[in-house]
Amino acid sequence: MKTKFYLPVMVLFAMLSFSCSTEEFPENEANNITLQNAPAAKTIEIEILELINAHRIELGLNPLNNLNIIKSVAYSHTDYMVSVNQVNHDNFFQRKSSLEQHASATKVSENVAYAFSSAQSVVNAWINSEGHRANIEGDFTDFDISAEQNEEGKWYYTNIFIKR
Protein backbone atom coordinates (compact mmCIF):
# COMPACT_ATOMS: atom_id res chain seq x y z
CA MET A 1 0.00 0.00 0.00
CA LYS A 2 2.72 2.47 0.97
CA THR A 3 4.74 1.64 -2.16
CA LYS A 4 1.76 2.52 -4.37
CA PHE A 5 1.63 5.94 -2.77
CA TYR A 6 5.33 6.75 -2.47
CA LEU A 7 6.41 5.63 -5.95
CA PRO A 8 4.27 8.21 -7.82
CA VAL A 9 5.31 10.90 -5.34
CA MET A 10 9.00 10.09 -5.90
CA VAL A 11 8.55 10.07 -9.69
CA LEU A 12 6.85 13.47 -9.54
CA PHE A 13 9.64 14.83 -7.33
CA ALA A 14 12.28 13.52 -9.73
CA MET A 15 10.54 15.06 -12.72
CA LEU A 16 10.36 18.44 -11.01
CA SER A 17 13.93 18.28 -9.69
CA PHE A 18 15.80 18.12 -12.97
CA SER A 19 15.30 18.75 -16.62
CA CYS A 20 17.13 18.71 -19.92
CA SER A 21 17.02 20.77 -23.07
CA THR A 22 18.23 20.51 -26.61
CA GLU A 23 18.58 23.06 -29.35
CA GLU A 24 15.09 22.20 -30.58
CA PHE A 25 13.39 24.98 -28.62
CA PRO A 26 11.51 27.41 -30.86
CA GLU A 27 13.45 30.43 -31.91
CA ASN A 28 12.02 33.68 -30.65
CA GLU A 29 12.99 37.31 -30.82
CA ALA A 30 15.32 37.00 -27.82
CA ASN A 31 18.72 38.62 -28.08
CA ASN A 32 22.02 37.17 -26.92
CA ILE A 33 22.58 37.05 -23.19
CA THR A 34 25.13 39.27 -21.55
CA LEU A 35 28.24 37.29 -20.73
CA GLN A 36 29.32 37.51 -17.10
CA ASN A 37 32.54 36.54 -15.43
CA ALA A 38 31.81 33.24 -13.78
CA PRO A 39 33.28 32.53 -10.34
CA ALA A 40 36.15 30.08 -10.00
CA ALA A 41 35.17 26.44 -10.29
CA LYS A 42 33.78 24.91 -7.11
CA THR A 43 34.77 21.43 -5.97
CA ILE A 44 31.28 20.09 -6.74
CA GLU A 45 31.49 21.45 -10.31
CA ILE A 46 34.88 19.85 -10.93
CA GLU A 47 33.57 16.56 -9.55
CA ILE A 48 30.54 16.68 -11.88
CA LEU A 49 32.73 17.35 -14.92
CA GLU A 50 35.04 14.49 -13.95
CA LEU A 51 32.13 12.08 -13.37
CA ILE A 52 30.57 12.92 -16.73
CA ASN A 53 33.87 12.46 -18.56
CA ALA A 54 34.52 9.19 -16.70
CA HIS A 55 31.10 7.97 -17.84
CA ARG A 56 31.83 8.97 -21.44
CA ILE A 57 35.26 7.31 -21.40
CA GLU A 58 33.73 4.12 -19.95
CA LEU A 59 31.44 4.03 -23.01
CA GLY A 60 34.33 4.65 -25.43
CA LEU A 61 33.28 8.24 -26.10
CA ASN A 62 35.64 11.20 -26.27
CA PRO A 63 36.05 13.19 -23.05
CA LEU A 64 34.72 16.73 -23.29
CA ASN A 65 36.83 19.84 -22.82
CA ASN A 66 35.63 22.40 -20.32
CA LEU A 67 35.38 25.90 -21.75
CA ASN A 68 35.20 29.16 -19.79
CA ILE A 69 32.69 30.76 -22.16
CA ILE A 70 30.30 27.87 -21.48
CA LYS A 71 30.87 28.27 -17.73
CA SER A 72 29.97 31.94 -18.05
CA VAL A 73 26.73 31.19 -19.90
CA ALA A 74 25.85 28.37 -17.49
CA TYR A 75 26.55 30.62 -14.50
CA SER A 76 24.25 33.30 -15.89
CA HIS A 77 21.40 30.79 -16.09
CA THR A 78 22.05 29.19 -12.71
CA ASP A 79 22.12 32.63 -11.11
CA TYR A 80 18.79 33.35 -12.82
CA MET A 81 17.24 30.09 -11.55
CA VAL A 82 18.35 30.91 -8.00
CA SER A 83 16.86 34.41 -8.28
CA VAL A 84 13.45 33.09 -9.44
CA ASN A 85 13.68 30.05 -7.11
CA GLN A 86 12.73 27.66 -9.91
CA VAL A 87 14.60 25.11 -12.03
CA ASN A 88 13.87 25.84 -15.71
CA HIS A 89 15.15 26.27 -19.26
CA ASP A 90 13.93 29.87 -19.60
CA ASN A 91 15.77 31.79 -22.33
CA PHE A 92 17.53 28.68 -23.68
CA PHE A 93 17.55 30.17 -27.17
CA GLN A 94 19.54 33.15 -25.86
CA ARG A 95 22.18 30.85 -24.36
CA LYS A 96 22.32 28.80 -27.56
CA SER A 97 22.66 31.91 -29.71
CA SER A 98 25.37 33.34 -27.48
CA LEU A 99 27.41 30.12 -27.66
CA GLU A 100 26.98 29.94 -31.42
CA GLN A 101 28.29 33.49 -31.69
CA HIS A 102 31.06 33.45 -29.05
CA ALA A 103 32.18 29.80 -29.01
CA SER A 104 31.48 28.77 -32.63
CA ALA A 105 28.98 26.18 -31.37
CA THR A 106 27.08 24.24 -34.03
CA LYS A 107 25.02 22.27 -31.50
CA VAL A 108 23.98 23.24 -27.96
CA SER A 109 22.17 21.29 -25.25
CA GLU A 110 21.75 21.59 -21.50
CA ASN A 111 20.80 19.70 -18.39
CA VAL A 112 19.51 21.52 -15.32
CA ALA A 113 18.79 20.21 -11.85
CA TYR A 114 17.84 21.30 -8.36
CA ALA A 115 18.35 20.14 -4.78
CA PHE A 116 20.88 17.34 -5.31
CA SER A 117 23.48 17.64 -2.57
CA SER A 118 26.43 15.88 -4.22
CA ALA A 119 28.09 15.58 -7.59
CA GLN A 120 27.45 11.84 -7.67
CA SER A 121 23.73 12.23 -6.93
CA VAL A 122 23.08 14.78 -9.68
CA VAL A 123 25.13 12.87 -12.27
CA ASN A 124 23.38 9.60 -11.32
CA ALA A 125 19.99 11.29 -11.74
CA TRP A 126 20.95 12.62 -15.17
CA ILE A 127 22.34 9.25 -16.29
CA ASN A 128 19.17 7.49 -15.12
CA SER A 129 17.03 9.85 -17.23
CA GLU A 130 16.89 9.07 -20.95
CA GLY A 131 16.91 12.70 -22.13
CA HIS A 132 19.66 13.82 -19.78
CA ARG A 133 21.77 10.76 -20.55
CA ALA A 134 21.40 11.54 -24.29
CA ASN A 135 22.99 14.93 -23.64
CA ILE A 136 25.79 13.45 -21.53
CA GLU A 137 26.53 10.78 -24.13
CA GLY A 138 25.87 13.03 -27.14
CA ASP A 139 28.08 14.14 -30.00
CA PHE A 140 29.66 17.13 -28.26
CA THR A 141 33.18 18.53 -27.95
CA ASP A 142 32.98 20.87 -24.96
CA PHE A 143 30.98 21.44 -21.81
CA ASP A 144 30.95 23.21 -18.49
CA ILE A 145 28.75 23.56 -15.45
CA SER A 146 27.60 26.04 -12.88
CA ALA A 147 26.37 25.02 -9.44
CA GLU A 148 25.03 27.68 -7.08
CA GLN A 149 23.21 27.50 -3.76
CA ASN A 150 20.13 29.49 -2.82
CA GLU A 151 19.61 31.08 0.60
CA GLU A 152 18.36 27.77 2.01
CA GLY A 153 21.50 25.97 0.82
CA LYS A 154 19.75 24.06 -2.00
CA TRP A 155 21.89 23.58 -5.12
CA TYR A 156 20.86 24.63 -8.64
CA TYR A 157 22.80 23.24 -11.61
CA THR A 158 23.19 24.19 -15.26
CA ASN A 159 25.32 21.85 -17.38
CA ILE A 160 25.75 23.00 -21.00
CA PHE A 161 27.16 20.90 -23.83
CA ILE A 162 28.31 22.20 -27.22
CA LYS A 163 29.75 20.86 -30.42
CA ARG A 164 32.24 22.99 -32.34
Side-chain angles (χ1 to χ4, degrees), residues 50-60 127 133 136-137:
E50 289 174 349
L51 288 166
I52 289 172
N53 268 339
H55 177 78
R56 289 179 61 87
I57 291 167
E58 184 177 297
L59 296 176
I127 288 173
R133 185 176 57 252
I136 289 171
E137 297 173 1

Side-chain angles (χ1 to χ4, degrees), residues 14-27:
M15 289 174 56
L16 296 174
S17 294
F18 56 89
S19 183
C20 65
S21 175
T22 65
E23 62 185 324
E24 296 168 5
F25 274 68
E27 295 188 17

Side-chain angles (χ1 to χ4, degrees), residues 35-127:
L35 298 176
Q36 307 179 33
N37 286 331
K42 296 173 186 65
T43 301
I44 195 168
E45 294 168 333
I46 294 167
E47 291 171 351
I48 291 168
L49 297 175
E50 289 174 349
L51 288 166
I52 289 172
N53 268 339
H55 177 78
R56 289 179 61 87
I57 291 167
E58 184 177 297
L59 296 176
L61 301 170
N62 64 302
L64 303 176
N65 302 305
N66 58 316
L67 198 61
N68 286 337
I69 186 78
I70 300 172
K71 171 101 171 140
S72 175
V73 172
Y75 173 72
S76 175
H77 184 61
T78 305
D79 191 45
Y80 168 76
M81 291 192 301
V82 169
S83 74
V84 298
N85 200 32
Q86 179 185 32
V87 65
N88 61 62
H89 292 287
D90 293 356
N91 307 310
F92 176 77
F93 177 73
Q94 292 176 343
R95 289 186 294 288
K96 176 183 179 269
S97 179
S98 181
L99 290 167
E100 289 170 340
Q101 182 179 20
H102 299 290
S104 302
T106 60
K107 182 178 176 183
V108 179
S109 193
E110 75 180 11
N111 289 344
V112 296
Y114 166 73
F116 292 92
S117 60
S118 72
Q120 189 70 61
S121 65
V122 71
V123 171
N124 285 345
W126 283 333
I127 288 173

